[in-house]
């Protein structure tokens, strides 16, 4: 058993994929409705595939180029005389990661574009059946993502152990194996970036463009079949909310497990698994999480049309989380050894590791609950925006911005508490395993998440096919729940991204060979500032991209209305594919620049300024990115639901207001501002912070202080004692220079590890002045933090 | 000369105040216009004084309470057995700082409310005369602030040197003297917080309230005498833009000089000033900066109505900056000694100190220029917002938000470059002196800044008094320039706040007795996250406060229109004072909560989690605060000028649009959203980051690692070796524990300053395993960063 545990991991992934295939087949077997519905669904499916293909074409160039670069870097075995443990195989891992990520998106998209029309058809019979179809569609997505991730990581790990002939956990071969595995995560996260950003631009360009001309200029309802952009709009739901979200969580899932493995490799334990238990633990927990997520899906069912769909989803979610936590206890107790476990000087027990997992789960739950509170209809935050809509567009905007900013407080305190709590439980390994514990039920989270856009699409098809009102009512019911789950899903995604980044951050520090990231040092602080700024420029680029692409869409829709006679009378079909092409082209064009920033900045900063400044940059990006992500996602969600509230009517100062009233118009402004906030720039923050961390982790061996790179950093500081002793006369932090057993002979020099003043001509043969010059009768004195050596006992 | 240099500093402050008095008298002598104008100006002056009095009433309670707390803290001379160098006199310094800050605000407000109506009157004759009156008003404000700051700091420093009997620069008495002086800065910055936040809420509540009912509901123009809120609106310009900005820069000015002095005290030099040259240098430069600012004002004059006012102001600004830089060279060369100067292990020369001053000046200049670019009419950023106004309110908002976010890039890169550059030149002292160099021309900066609201008020009075159009044209000319100078002034203020905070940050680290702020440690990282969040909640509170207060104002104006017959026909006077009272009350009520956050958070975090976590918090606040400040100020400024552009007409897609067009309405929405952004929450960020830093500096001695507080922090880490040796079995970073000459006797313990493994039973009598257990024939081996001791030469 113990020896074969490693094989269980990919097996769990395969089980997940088998269940996925069964569920997918079930969805395909459902009735896809009449010819008209099938035709519309066909347009959506074709549009989605067209986007994926176009995206893949561009990305394949990027993947080949990046893989070549990685392969080259793997051939470097020595930098400035220091050994580097790389291998060209990292390029293979990278490509596999990219392909798996793309496949996960493909699976999700494929099933979503099948499940949408089948949900519409099922809604003709009952809500129960419609929920079953749409949620099963979501489950396929969830299991696909989690299954591929666990299979990929677990399988590659086994393969790499063989390839590199790893016999000892502490060996350099083991280090190489895990470093090569980071390539898998880098591949996954790179694809995720473009899927999330490109998808986000796509969906909002189509949405805003369709609304501006359709609803505002032509006066036709949303999802009207006459609007040339309506198919693009529905494609966008799949591209952004299904494929984008899937790739995002696939990346988080992989990166979290990997970061925990990197830290686990540093832990030395004697266990039944050849010392590998800290490395295997995150994989086992996440693998079993797939099974528990499947169990959780059994709870998601309702009795009849009057049942509460949200309750059913919550039940499934809580069930899978609870089972995972309980099971984690037994897994941790079984796998980890008794007694003290130690990582980088912090000591903890296996009970502490379980405690950290518990902390991670609680953090995830609180983040979801808070997100729901700030964005749900009927709750004070959304109501405050509704009230402020009564005095116009401006006050609606101010209200939404204030809600978004305020909504950062509890999540950040939760996150800070989670960091401290999990660190208290099990050091940095605790922070990483907390993230893994939270991510264990990703399959379930994604199932709930992907259900939303499927229901949204189903409603769109019902509207476009002009089906009877009770069908639309049922899909609207699902859609409303889907909006809430989308919001909580975003909370989960940002929390997971934050914890993942922290885990990666910890792993980075280890591999980069630094033992601190000291923001008291000016260059590190400068890095922190620049890092903090990146989410701002990234957001600005995303927001602007949506604006530009939406304008292109508006022009095209106007053209079609003008040049194709009979559209308005249902006599001529609009050229849907032209609008799809515009959204596709624009999103792929506009995702380049933000993508380049995320990929290139850490490389530049790392190689020019060294690992510690890069650490400062990462911290800045993470803090600012998490804040901007929460702020934008929640502001956007709150604006959206404030607008939606007008559909049933809202009471402002004792008066009822409905759609088309002045306050409603103000709320539409808020919703439009919120669209790129919540679906483009906000969620992109997740990927931004994760990708920059993973890029840093991959380049870490090459910029490592003890492993190569310039010995002297940009600020003229040196990191080894030879140079220190030679040139510490100018602009050098002596404390930094005195790291090793340096034996400078000048008066005010480095005596071993301590900067100190010695009597003229005295050598400092050891770490301490005391030892250095007080070996005989002399005494040592502390003066202003420096040790001064004195000639005799009286201190003269 | 050398011995008396210290007396020159307050003398320079007094010279500044004398010139101020002369200029103030000149303004008072100018013609204040007809009875109607004087009556209106009287209302404004009374309203402004009413606010100041109400504010002072509340603040005096706070000042007394805080002073008592400080006095008590000064009586503590020992914490946990460690000595603390405090004195109850810090309470006196605090009160004087508060009074000086309030006085600076009072002077500015008084002269501004005199200069406004006199500018209107002067505008009847010529633009040249109007500029002279308004700019002289601004100069009075600038000289008042700078003069009081230099007099206060310089005078108190001399007094404290005497009180504490300082004979030696390196003595504890000197430390106490400078620590007590931080009370002056704390007092100034506390008042600044309430002046800035309260003033910001006041001015925008009145502005938004007046506009919503006056312009929108009643259809009367801005500044119409019939609008009950119009006086409050004009009062707001003085309260927010004059008194608030003045208090802000007074605080920055004092804090910067002080932080440089704290760092200067640590530098040991042999000079002609008893080793005090690094302490005196910032005071001398800033004192002389007052003279150079006076010289600069001579350049601010125009020939006739066709001359460019902006050019005249720029000329004055550049002149005073240039003279200051040149003079700094000679001052530095004269005061500082030749050879190597060293601070905390970084070595530099006096040429490096001058280099840092140069860097600071360049940073300030770039920040101003960039701010102008992003907010000025006719430049691409504002034009892009205008273009996006054509598709409605939402796209205008999106455009403004994107411009604001993008505008952070160059300032942050500049700041990062400035930090690195000044650090490279002269270490942390360089960072601080760079800020001081930038702040040296504060008098000139404030003169240009305060000129804006005076011109704005002058225009308001011209409108209210229904003066002929050529008068309004001249005041409009001045007002337009004033808008630009307001924007550049904000850029200067945020840059100064950022550099000031960094200088305070460096000073804090020194006094707190820590030698690093390592964000790699989980609690410090948590502190960074929480710190980053504070500007978000602070902004949200400010924005909401404006919304709430504006609503109160709207109710009152509506009531007056309803209940006082004849207002609209100019037959009855509105009750201006009621609106003034509402704005006053609301601003004072709403400034409490944000003020409390800024004051209490660092105290709580510092005492509970220790200085290093507090350092993380400060870094988070500073980075996030600077970003949010730049983002909000520039977005607001750009929206404002996008709206203003419609007055002369703008071209969108080949079509001209003017006021009252649909795009103009969209631009008004942006302007209203931008109002609290640019005048309330944005500028408040400056004070937030400075105040939290100064509070931390004041409490630093009491939370210092070596000076008291809990030896064990929240995470169970200990900071002295006794506890380390006792309890390092659990959750303790051993590296941290092994700070001193600990001699743990267990096998896996602290051997002096290094965590290492020793053979069972072996003592570790020194800092190093090598010394510890390899004294005889044994050898030492490195294993995983720990030294292991081996029994014999072969390493067995």
């Amino acid at each position: 058993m113990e020896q074969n545990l490693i094989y269980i991991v990919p097996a769990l992934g395969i089980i997940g994929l088998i269940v996925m295939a069964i569920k997918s087949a079930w969805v395909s077997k459902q009735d896809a409705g009449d010819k008209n519905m099938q035709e519309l669904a066909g347009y959506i499916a074709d549009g989605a595939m067209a986007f994926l293909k176009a995206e893949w074409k561009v990305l394949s160039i990027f993947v080949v180029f990046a893989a070549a670069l990685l392969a080259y870097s793997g051939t470097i075995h020595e930098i400035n005389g220091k050994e580097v443990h790389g291998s060209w195989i990292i390029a293979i891992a990278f490509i596999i990661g990219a392909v798996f990520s793309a496949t996960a998106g493909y699976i999700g998209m494929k099933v979503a574009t099948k499940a949408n029309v089948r949900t519409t058809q099922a809604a003709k019979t009952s809500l129960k059946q419609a929920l079953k179809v749409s949620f099963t569609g979501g489950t396929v997505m969830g299991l696909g993502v989690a299954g591929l991730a666990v299979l990929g990581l677990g399988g590659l790990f086994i393969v790499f152990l063989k390839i590199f002939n790893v016999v000892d956990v502490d060996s350099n071969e083991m280090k190489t194996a895990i470093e090569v595995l980071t390539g898998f995560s880098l591949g996954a996260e790179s694809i995720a970036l473009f899927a999330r950003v490109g998808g986000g631009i796509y969906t909002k360009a189509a949405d805003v463009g369709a609304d501006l001309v359709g609803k505002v200029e032509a006066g036709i309802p949303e999802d009207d079949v006459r609007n040339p952009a309506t198919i693009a709009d529905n494609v966008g739901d799949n591209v952004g909310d299904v494929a984008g979200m899937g790739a995002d969580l696939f990346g988080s899932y992989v990166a979290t497990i990997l970061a925990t493995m990197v830290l686990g490799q540093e832990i030395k334990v004697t266990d039944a698994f050849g010392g590998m238990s800290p490395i295997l633990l995150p994989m086992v927990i996440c693998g079993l999480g797939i099974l528990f997520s499947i169990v959780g899906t059994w709870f998601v069912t309702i009795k009849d049309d009057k049942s509460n769909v949200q309750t059913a989803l919550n039940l499934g979610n809580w069930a899978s989380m609870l089972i995972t936590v309980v099971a984690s206890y037994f897994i941790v107790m079984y796998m980890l050894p008794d007694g003290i476990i130690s990582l980088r000087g912090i000591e903890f027990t296996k009970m502490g590791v379980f405690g950290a997992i518990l902390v991670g789960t609680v953090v995830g739950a609180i983040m979801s609950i808070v997100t729901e509170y700030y964005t749900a209809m009927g709750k004070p935050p959304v109501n405050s925006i509704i009230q402020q809509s009564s005095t116009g567009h401006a006050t609606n905007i101010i209200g939404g911005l204030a809600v978004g900013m305020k909504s950062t407080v509890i999540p950040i305190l939760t996150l800070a508490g989670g960091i401290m709590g999990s660190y208290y439980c099990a050091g940095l390994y605790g922070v990483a395993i907390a993230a893994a514990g939270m991510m264990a039920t990703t399959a379930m989270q994604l199932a709930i998440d992907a259900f939303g856009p499927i229901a949204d699409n189903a409603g769109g098809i019902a509207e476009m096919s002009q089906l009877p009102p009770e069908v639309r009512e049922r899909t609207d019911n699902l859609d409303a729940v889907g909006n809430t789950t989308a919001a909580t899903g975003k909370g989960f995604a940002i929390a997971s991204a934050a914890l993942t980044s922290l885990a990666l951050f910890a792993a980075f520090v280890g591999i980069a060979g630094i033992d601190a990231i000291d923001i008291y040092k000016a260059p590190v602080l400068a890095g922190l500032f620049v890092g903090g700024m990146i989410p701002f420029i990234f957001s600005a680029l995303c927001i602007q991209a949506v604006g530009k692409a939406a304008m292109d869409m508006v022009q095209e829709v106007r053209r079609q209305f003008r040049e194709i006679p009979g559209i308005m009378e249902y006599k001529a079909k609009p050229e849907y594919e032209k609008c799809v092409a515009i959204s596709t082209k624009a999103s792929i064009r506009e995702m380049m620049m933000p993508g380049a920033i995320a990929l290139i900045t850490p490389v530049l900063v790392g190689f020019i300024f060294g690992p510690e400044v890069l650490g400062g940059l990462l911290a800045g990006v993470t803090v600012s990115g998490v804040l901007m992500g929460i702020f934008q996602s929640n502001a956007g969600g709150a604006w959206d639901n404030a607008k939606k509230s007008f559909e049933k009517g809202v009471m402002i100062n004792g008066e009822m207001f409905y759609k088309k009233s002045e306050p409603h118009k103000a709320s539409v402004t808020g919703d439009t501002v919120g669209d790129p906030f919540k679906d483009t720039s906000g969620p992109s923050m997740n990927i931004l912070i994760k990708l920059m961390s993973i890029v840093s982790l991959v380049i870490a061996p090459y910029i490592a202080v003890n492993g190569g790179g310039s010995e002297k950093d940009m600020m003229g500081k040196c990191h080894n004692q030879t140079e220190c002793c030679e040139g510490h006369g100018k602009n050098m932090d002596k404390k930094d220079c005195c790291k090793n057993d340096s034996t400078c002979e000048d008066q005010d020099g480095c005596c071993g590890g301590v900067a100190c003043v010695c009597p003229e001509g005295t050598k400092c043969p050891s770490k301490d002045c005391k030892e250095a010059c007080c070996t005989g009768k002399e005494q040592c004195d502390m003066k202003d933090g420096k040790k001064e050596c004195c000639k005799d006992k009286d201190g003269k």
Side-chain angles (χ1 to χ4, degrees), chain A residues 697-748:
Chain A
L697 185 62
V698 168
I699 64 167
Y702 302 97
I703 59 169
V705 171
N706 298 318
S710 172
E711 294 288 349
K712 223 170 189 173
D713 71 18
M714 273 289 287
M715 303 309 294
K717 287 203 197 173
C718 56
H719 296 284
N720 76 347
Q721 99 266 19
T722 323
E723 252 177 300
C724 268
C725 293
E726 283 165 7
H728 79 264
K730 186 150 170 50
N731 289 322
M732 215 160 292
D733 191 336
K734 218 177 295 160
K735 198 154 53 64
D736 256 33
C737 299
C738 302
K739 270 189 179 161
N740 301 318
D741 309 273
S742 53
T743 53
C744 308
E745 299 188 24
D746 56 344
Q747 193 188 349
D748 185 17

Side-chain angles (χ1 to χ4, degrees), chain A residues 263 343-344 346 348 422-423 426-433 502-503 506:
Chain A
L263 291 167
L343 173 66
R344 299 188 192 168
I346 309 275
F348 49 90
S422 56
Y423 182 75
L428 288 167
Y429 188 73
V431 176
I433 200 84
L502 296 180

Side-chain angles (χ1 to χ4, degrees), chain A residues 301-336:
Chain A
T301 180
I302 53 170
K303 251 170 66 185
D304 54 38
D305 275 26
K306 284 182 197 70
S307 305
N308 192 327
V309 176
Q310 182 74 57
T311 311
L313 291 172
N314 287 348
L315 198 65
N317 191 10
W318 295 119
S320 55
M321 276 167 72
L322 196 71
I323 302 172
T324 304
V325 166
V326 172
S328 296
Y329 175 80
F330 293 103
I331 299 168
V332 169
M333 291 303 142
Y334 165 66
M335 287 182 68
L336 293 183

